[in-house]
Amino acid sequence: MSFSELGLSDKVLGAIDAAGYKNPTPIQAQAIPHVLARRDVLGIAQTGTGKTAAFVLPMITMLEKGRARARMPRTLILEPTRELAAQVAESFEKYGKNHKLNVALIIGGVSFGDQDAKLLRGVDVLIATPGRLLDHSERGRLLLSGCELLIIDEADRMLDMGFIPDIERIGKLVPFTRQTLFFTATMPPEIQRIADTFLHNPVRVEVSKPATAASTITQLQVAVGREDFEKRATLRHLIDSAENFKNAIIFCNRKREVAVLHKSLVKHGYSAVALHGDLDQTSRMAALDAFRKGDAKLLIASDVAARGLDIPAVSHVFNFDVPHHPDDYVHRIGRTGRAGLTGTAISLVAPFDTKAVATIEKLMGMTIPWMGEPVAAAEPGERPARHGERSGGRGGRNRSQRGSRSQESRPRESHPRREQPQPRADNPPPVRAREPQPYRDRPQRDHVEPDASHLPAFLLRPVNIKA
Ligand code: AMP
């Protein structure tokens, strides 16, 4: 099937041509004709399938007729995160290059004033995160009564982030007669309920969910200790020894861990950026931009912050934490091995992660090979150590640590070597140790680091001697 058979306008076809797309993806081929026929659509597809263009291309075609009125957007796209909203806005620049569309991005973290001025001029496409949209609406700066088309994107993520009540409120502000397109990667019962309330006689379009990862991805797991500093040391070793390394996304389960790991990697001389919910909008955009351009080789992110972001050609994914939900594992590793390129996904597995890994393996229908020795499963009732928590000893920190700097800030850790995965003769790992990569760009040190493993920390601090 070709794009010209889908009913898109000539100007849109011109932009598709300029984008270099040859054929529509399955979700585009299936959804676009129905969108143009003004049907409601329930699209079950995840990022990477071309779903953004599946709604943006027909939208632009439909918007060629009619014009915008002040404070009354003609169409509304709801996105769970600011980055996703910004990414969709960018796709309007790409696919709408032959049109003069007024596109407004209404997201948190940027000033109300500019957004308000844009709304006043009249917008064809309003792309928003739910909270900020309701803020504008409550201030009386925005009327949704002229909205002809509502798009709810990444609905299951909205559910995870607690946005469903907001979505339901917004649903009451748009006309009952509007057309609705509803996209979700998964269909839990709560999402089915929301879909039923929002959609009228929808066409269901489903593209196969990659329950198994692309065959181009090499998946591995490596045993780590239960302490965060041990995990960080192993991660650094894995990065340094990775073959065909270009760049990597490192996933953590909590935003706090993202910040701690980012700080640590930067301190160790890696070019790394972080993406988590506590950063302001400008920092998040700058981080993404640096990673996309290749200025930063490592992106440390939480699932929520990274979900749906279109970051092409990532060579490696590291799961610093094993995700709690197996679906998140599929999303995470799907960041590499895209478009036929090969990729490697390595999970750091601590003793208390074995159950989560078993659930992932069940979903994937495969056993993830170990690099080196498998981890010993935790005793029943053992729980993961939180950041800053030390195992062993009632007071958390043991005697040798008390009063000294943290393990992380010591000039050299003794653990990386101990924790390095030992290759098994019958299962040689595809990733081998080698010299540090050129991107490391470590700060130059003019002294030889001592073996710090048995020295008290105070002996290792630099001493300033006055002349
Ligand atoms: P999405 O699933 O919307 O995030 O899109 C994933 C990536 O696929 C984006 O980088 C798009 O530019 C690209 N893409 C979308 N449609 C096509 C197509 N028909 N042919 C080639 N690439 C496409």
Side-chain angles (χ1 to χ4, degrees), residues 171-340:
K172 293 193 181 117
L173 301 172
V174 290
F176 182 73
T177 50
R178 95 260 150 181
Q179 181 185 6
T180 307
L181 314 179
F182 189 98
F183 289 91
T184 181
T186 55
M187 207 58 186
E190 178 67 353
I191 290 298
Q192 184 66 59
R193 183 188 72 76
I194 302 293
D196 291 345
T197 52
F198 271 84
L199 298 164
H200 303 289
N201 189 21
V203 181
R204 186 182 166 112
V205 173
E206 187 164 358
V207 296
S208 60
K209 180 172 174 275
T212 50
S215 55
T216 48
I217 305 172
T218 304
Q219 295 175 65
L220 294 162
Q221 51 180 331
V222 63
V224 288
R226 59 194 63 237
E227 303 283 2
D228 280 355
F229 70 87
E230 292 175 289
K231 289 173 73 178
R232 288 195 286 268
T234 304
L235 175 71
R236 292 196 297 276
H237 167 73
L238 290 169
I239 296 169
D240 291 346
S241 59
E243 285 199 339
N244 301 322
F245 185 95
K246 188 168 162 269
N247 55 1
I249 305 182
I250 303 165
F251 284 99
C252 300
N253 286 352
R254 282 184 286 264
K255 58 188 173 188
R256 181 151 176 231
E257 275 152 9
V258 172
V260 172
L261 180 60
H262 173 237
K263 213 169 147 199
S264 162
L265 285 168
V266 169
K267 207 176 87 190
H268 280 86
Y270 293 84
S271 67
V273 288
L275 203 64
H276 60 79
D278 284 349
L279 294 172
D280 64 36
Q281 185 57 19
T282 320
S283 317
R284 279 151 61 132
M285 290 301 188
L288 256 184
D289 218 38
F291 189 68
R292 281 201 185 114
K293 284 189 192 140
D295 297 342
K297 299 293 179 194
L298 304 176
L299 173 72
I300 305 122
S302 59
D303 293 289
V304 169
R307 175 74 176 254
L309 294 181
D310 180 28
I311 302 161
V314 178
S315 71
H316 284 69
V317 165
F318 294 102
N319 288 317
F320 184 76
D321 299 310
V322 174
H324 299 309
H325 303 292
D327 274 352
D328 282 335
Y329 179 84
V330 180
H331 284 296
R332 288 180 181 188
I333 69 165
R335 298 322 183 100
T336 186
R338 281 189 171 191

Side-chain angles (χ1 to χ4, degrees), residues 62 135 162 216 225 228 265 267 325 351 356 400 402 411 414 428 447 458 467:
M62 295 192 296
D135 285 349
T216 48
D228 280 355
L265 285 168
K267 207 176 87 190
H325 303 292
S400 65
R402 205 178 302 141
S414 56
H447 66 279
F458 73 90

Side-chain angles (χ1 to χ4, degrees), residues 431-443:
V431 178
R432 282 181 293 276
R434 64 181 163 90
E435 287 305 301
Q437 309 289 297
Y439 72 84
R440 282 291 303 270
D441 196 21
R442 280 172 173 281

